[in-house]
Amino acid sequence: MILLYDGSFDGFLTAIYSAFHSKISYVQIFDENTYVYNLLEHPVVVVTDSMQARKVTTAIAEKLGKEAFRMLVKVYLSEHEQAANIALSFLRVAFKFGPKAIEYEAHEQIGPFVKLSNSVSRELHRMIGLVRFAELRSGIFYGVYDSTFSLLLLLAPHFKERLGNQIWVLHDIKRETAVFYDRSEWHIGPLLSVAELDYSDEESALQGLWKRYHKEIAIEERKNKKLQSQMMPKKYWKYLTEMSGK
Amino acid sequence: MELIDKVSILANAAKYDVSCSSSGHERGAKAGHLGSAALPGICHSWSEDGRCVSLLKILYSNKCVYDCAYCINRASNDFARAEFTPEELVHLTMSFYKRNYIEGLFLSSAVTHSPDYTMERMTEVVRKLRVEEKYNGYIHLKAIPGTDQKILDLAGQYVDRMSINLELPSRKGLLLLAPQKDPITITEPIHYLQERISENREERRKFLTTSEFVPAGQTTQLMVGATPDTDYKIMRVAEAMYQGYSMKRVYYSAYVPVVQNNSLLPMVVNAPLTREHRLYQADWLLRFYGFKASEILTANEPDLDLDIDPKAQWALRNRQLFPVEVNRASLEVLLRVPGIGNISARRILNSRKFGPLHIEDLKALGVVMKRAKYFITCKGKAMEDIDLDRERLRLILTQGEKRLEVASQVTQLSFFDWSPEAFVPEFMRIEGKGGQSNDLALRW
């Protein structure tokens, strides 16, 4: 049987809840926004139910611990085609082991869950370093990035901490969503590509300084562009000030 | 002079100091301040030589009065000189930080006039950052050898980490190549800082309101290949630093000939990058794998093999200790197996709690089976001919390894080529081993 959810986290959890409690043993869950219909299957659309979603989160938080829950969120944010199935597979065995479940990476239903969560963590950590802000004339700092996984909800708290007394916008350009921070709280909302940005007078000079700095610190005798792109994949270069023009 | 030219000159002059991570201290946001510090450190970019860019690494001034043979900034070198004003540096740091280009500042300097004079100027920069700009991010400050302790006391209140470079693996080397730097001006501040840092840690444990003093500890750096010192010597100095002085990191910098025509320095065509890489691998063995320097090298075998990593080198010399059973071996023993690193060892121990591991499980747990299979058994069974003769085994373990210095091509090896699991936070403390002096005076 195939279940489709609406793409939201609550929908994700509702589908998992249904699958868990259904008598049918072989259930697959997909995001209806990306699911490719074919003639052979008749998928059932799950109606998002926050009560059921809450039951799942409570069960996980209580029986599997905070870390497992955080991993579940990351798996959801991975937008991986099989994310829901990997999560379901994990949950079917995890409750047997309790909070230690996530340590049992050798288990074929637990390993993939942890691995996918770790991939998201890795990109998150990289992105925290790679996001670049630019100062607009209005004094707002505008940051834009392009990531494989959906990281906005995970990046926002970090930058609230880091740039607490600035006004900034963090834009996930691929997903056309942004976080707006007003010095006390952050809010999330849709944001299409911004056509023309009105930068502050100093911005261009500072970008020039950074580019020059970045060039000067490389030791000629140790030049290794292959290593550079290994550590900092080219897919991220588009919005990096220092790599513009490369 | 334009700011951009100052940045060019002074960033260029600072690039040979490699001890510039942003790790070691966690600090959340403070009301009214800007910035935070992350415990593992954060890489913001990578330069064309493949190295991580985390901090704004720069000299306050490169107008040096000393004349150290190996240094690009030495007084007798015909080289563009520049100096920042504190305001310029503060503005640069804050502007870069707000744009998330950097984790913080790494400030060093050539010795202008005198150590105290230089250190006072640098302290003014960090004071302005903390007090006037309310900057709460990371600061790493170099300490100039010979600085008065009172200035160190003041500077230490404003920064996360401090470092003083040993420069060379032996006192003899220093006396020869940098005669103006009396070795005692290096060891004294290292001692002093270590005492102050431990004192401060104790006080903070007792009284939570005590302000911090260099909370991320100290590091140091030495050059490899500028003197005939062996790897064994280098490892023993590093070990003394970690055990006797709670040094957070020792950095090894391959000697890059920046100075031509000096009879004191070796005629090096290519910087010894492979050797530097092996030293970092050996350093990791000291800090994360429970090795002693005397296990890795001896007076008779004083240099690391360039073709094979130090752990494999050790394993080949100690085959009588293998094979080990993965389902029963302790963490310390598992860490000694080539192909098993910190992360996979931990995973093995965790998964073992749920039941015996099968051979198929090991690969999924991150064990590099290509190497490990010659040293382990799983549920009593060996996977390969573990009685393979030494030469054949050595050949297998060197497969895939490559030298870096090839004629005109000099490249930096990635750590991830050999030990992908290496980048984990320290979990093993190196205990002071009794009966062996860690006194720097004896080892350096």
Side-chain angles (χ1 to χ4, degrees):
Chain A
M1 178 169 78
I2 298 196
L3 296 178
L4 298 180
Y5 67 98
D6 63 8
S8 68
F9 190 46
D10 273 4
F12 181 83
L13 294 171
T14 311
I16 287 178
Y17 184 89
S18 304
F20 221 88
H21 290 94
S22 112
K23 291 193 204 77
I24 303 172
S25 53
Y26 191 64
V27 183
Q28 283 204 297
I29 305 173
F30 296 104
D31 180 342
E32 72 175 352
N33 300 298
T34 54
Y35 179 69
V36 178
Y37 287 81
N38 63 54
L39 295 168
L40 298 170
E41 287 143 354
H42 305 283
V44 175
V45 176
V46 169
V47 177
T48 302
D49 181 335
S50 333
M51 295 255 287
Q52 291 184 347
R54 226 55 334 110
K55 285 199 182 135
V56 177
T57 57
T58 311
I60 295 175
E62 284 177 2
K63 306 225 179 73
L64 298 180
K66 271 196 280 191
E67 187 53 32
F69 180 72
R70 266 185 235 127
M71 284 185 164
L72 181 75
V73 173
K74 286 187 179 148
V75 166
Y76 163 72
L77 291 174
S78 74
E79 298 183 336
H80 190 285
E81 200 212 6
Q82 296 290 337
N85 296 317
I86 290 173
L88 180 63
S89 195
F90 167 75
L91 290 171
R92 286 204 201 274
V93 293
F95 289 109
K96 235 193 296 178
F97 301 110
K100 296 275 180 189
I102 49 178
E103 291 180 14
Y104 190 7
E105 292 184 56
H107 194 296
E108 63 178 0
Q109 284 172 262
I110 296 179
F113 177 81
V114 176
K115 241 176 141 166
L116 183 55
S117 166
N118 286 345
S119 299
V120 177
S121 296
R122 266 198 300 275
E123 192 183 46
L124 173 64
H125 188 74
R126 231 188 213 140
M127 211 39 91
I128 284 177
L130 294 178
V131 165
R132 300 273 180 267
F133 288 91
E135 189 185 27
L136 305 179
R137 195 172 300 280
S138 51
I140 296 176
F141 279 81
Y142 171 76
V144 58
Y145 68 92
D146 187 344
S147 65
T148 305
F149 304 124
S150 176
L151 299 174
L152 203 52
L153 293 171
L154 301 172
L155 287 170
H158 168 83
F159 286 107
K160 174 179 168 175
E161 184 96 5
R162 175 64 57 105
L163 304 173
N165 63 359
Q166 305 267 115
I167 297 177
W168 48 263
V169 171
L170 186 57
H171 191 186
D172 180 340
I173 200 139
K174 190 154 99 180
R175 296 168 182 83
E176 293 179 332
T177 319
V179 160
F180 305 83
Y181 178 72
D182 61 10
R183 283 211 186 108
S184 59
E185 279 310 321
W186 54 270
H187 319 273
I188 195 166
L191 180 64
L192 301 172
S193 296
V194 187
E196 274 291 323
L197 283 167
D198 192 16
Y199 295 111
S200 71
D201 292 325
E202 228 206 333
E203 182 59 29
S204 153
L206 274 163
Q207 288 195 12
L209 284 167
W210 174 244
K211 282 197 196 127
R212 179 67 72 90
Y213 171 76
H214 189 264
K215 173 166 164 283
E216 293 293 342
I217 51 161
I219 295 178
E220 271 291 321
E221 293 86 345
R222 298 177 75 134
K223 217 154 204 158
N224 190 346
K225 288 200 174 167
K226 182 167 167 247
L227 181 60
Q228 186 190 32
S229 16
Q230 208 180 314
M231 302 304 294
M232 189 166 76
K234 289 202 168 127
K235 63 179 171 180
Y236 300 122
W237 288 18
K238 184 162 183 213
Y239 298 105
L240 287 181
T241 318
E242 65 269 25
M243 303 311 285
S244 61
K246 303 233 176 136
Chain B
M1 193 185 277
E2 293 267 353
L3 184 61
I4 196 161
D5 296 316
K6 284 193 188 181
V7 169
S8 292
I9 293 170
L10 293 167
N12 205 300
K15 67 192 182 196
Y16 295 101
D17 199 318
V18 298
S19 51
C20 59
S21 77
S22 49
S23 62
H25 192 56
E26 182 105 11
R27 196 171 38 243
K30 244 197 278 192
H33 289 66
L34 180 80
S36 61
L39 190 64
I42 294 173
C43 291
H44 282 265
S45 187
W46 278 265
S47 52
E48 273 193 0
D49 53 21
R51 296 185 302 155
C52 150
V53 179
S54 181
L55 302 171
L56 171 61
K57 185 168 62 166
I58 204 152
L59 296 192
Y60 180 83
S61 166
N62 73 338
K63 299 179 181 173
C64 202
V65 297
Y66 288 175
D67 205 26
C68 307
Y70 49 81
C71 184
I72 198 173
N73 298 309
R74 72 196 197 296
S76 58
N77 195 11
D78 187 13
F79 190 72
R81 309 281 171 168
E83 185 166 311
F84 281 115
T85 64
E87 293 75 26
E88 280 173 331
L89 256 181
V90 167
H91 182 68
L92 200 61
T93 307
M94 293 304 293
S95 303
F96 281 1
Y97 194 78
K98 287 180 186 169
R99 288 161 177 74
N100 204 45
Y101 295 165
I102 55 174
E103 264 314 274
L105 175 67
F106 176 100
L107 187 60
S108 181
S109 185
V111 182
T112 59
H113 300 294
S114 73
D116 281 355
Y117 179 86
T118 312
M119 202 67 195
E120 270 169 355
R121 312 295 287 145
M122 287 163 60
T123 304
E124 178 58 9
V125 174
V126 303
R127 188 202 64 82
K128 274 175 126 71
L129 275 172
R130 290 286 192 225
V131 175
E132 290 174 23
E133 298 289 330
K134 305 257 187 286
Y135 169 73
N136 195 36
Y138 196 88
I139 300 181
H140 180 146
L141 188 67
K142 297 302 284 200
I144 309 289
T147 305
D148 186 291
Q149 282 173 2
K150 282 205 268 327
I151 305 180
L152 289 181
D153 282 338
L154 181 63
Q157 291 172 38
Y158 299 126
V159 304
D160 290 279
R161 178 166 282 180
M162 283 182 93
S163 58
I164 299 159
N165 291 349
L166 287 174
E167 302 292 11
L168 294 157
S170 62
R171 220 179 286 254
K172 251 200 317 220
L174 189 70
L175 289 167
L176 182 69
L177 299 177
Q180 286 151 309
K181 283 189 176 157
D182 184 348
I184 205 149
T185 60
I186 293 177
T187 53
E188 237 176 29
I190 290 179
H191 274 283
Y192 180 69
L193 282 176
Q194 193 240 340
E195 274 169 18
R196 285 292 325 259
I197 292 170
S198 337
E199 257 172 37
N200 179 258
R201 246 196 294 246
E202 266 311 302
E203 269 182 52
R204 276 189 286 137
R205 234 199 299 263
K206 286 191 257 170
F207 309 107
L208 295 171
T209 51
T210 311
S211 49
E212 300 168 334
F213 183 89
V214 195
Q218 6 171 20
T219 63
T220 190
Q221 172 172 297
L222 44 86
M223 259 185 301
V224 170
T227 59
D229 296 300
T230 62
D231 293 336
Y232 182 49
K233 167 86 183 178
I234 293 172
M235 282 284 100
R236 300 248 306 155
V237 171
E239 194 176 46
M241 295 269 85
Y242 289 129
Q243 289 178 4
Y245 298 86
S246 314
M247 194 64 70
K248 287 292 178 175
R249 279 294 303 271
V250 175
Y251 290 87
Y252 313 95
S253 183
Y255 168 62
V256 176
V258 294
V259 169
Q260 256 58 3
N261 306 319
N262 188 317
S263 56
L264 293 172
L265 291 162
M267 276 294 295
V268 173
V269 178
N270 295 309
L273 295 180
T274 309
R275 185 180 175 197
E276 180 199 280
H277 183 72
R278 296 292 177 222
L279 280 166
Y280 275 115
Q281 288 178 318
D283 179 285
W284 243 250
L285 293 183
L286 288 185
R287 288 190 296 135
F288 301 116
Y289 289 78
F291 278 75
K292 294 204 281 278
S294 53
E295 288 182 284
I296 305 171
L297 291 167
T298 62
N300 294 325
E301 238 186 287
D303 284 304
L304 293 168
D305 195 323
L306 293 179
D307 294 319
I308 193 172
D309 75 88
K311 193 164 102 169
Q313 190 179 356
W314 177 86
L316 280 177
R317 255 192 277 126
N318 291 281
R319 289 190 71 192
Q320 71 282 2
L321 299 173
F322 298 101
V324 298
E325 168 56 46
V326 290
N327 279 297
R328 277 205 300 274
S330 67
L331 179 65
E332 292 73 23
V333 171
L334 284 175
L335 287 176
R336 299 265 169 157
V337 174
I340 297 184
N342 270 293
I343 295 187
S344 31
R346 212 176 348 122
R347 285 194 188 129
I348 288 174
L349 252 61
N350 283 337
S351 289
R352 254 169 32 180
K353 289 188 264 189
F354 299 94
L357 294 172
H358 313 281
I359 290 177
E360 311 80 58
D361 297 331
L362 295 178
K363 187 144 189 252
L365 294 180
V367 174
V368 182
M369 291 307 290
K370 250 197 307 203
R371 315 179 100 211
K373 63 186 175 182
Y374 299 100
F375 299 93
I376 55 173
T377 59
C378 187
K379 297 211 287 193
K381 275 184 63 189
M383 277 132 279
E384 282 291 329
D385 177 9
I386 51 182
D387 285 322
L388 212 56
D389 72 77
R390 193 190 151 126
E391 275 318 301
R392 289 265 300 280
L393 184 55
R394 191 194 141 86
L395 208 66
I396 290 167
L397 291 172
T398 57
Q399 233 165 45
E401 303 253 357
K402 53 188 186 289
R403 287 286 188 99
L404 302 175
E405 300 87 340
V406 177
S408 52
Q409 240 225 334
V410 175
T411 50
Q412 162 131 3
L413 245 189
S414 162
F415 227 125
F416 294 103
D417 290 345
W418 317 119
S419 45
E421 60 275 73
F423 274 78
V424 292
E426 246 173 283
F427 73 94
M428 285 178 86
R429 299 258 138 230
I430 303 176
E431 262 113 48
K433 315 266 196 275
Q436 230 199 4
S437 177
N438 293 315
D439 193 342
L440 196 55
L442 296 176
R443 292 247 184 135
W444 187 55

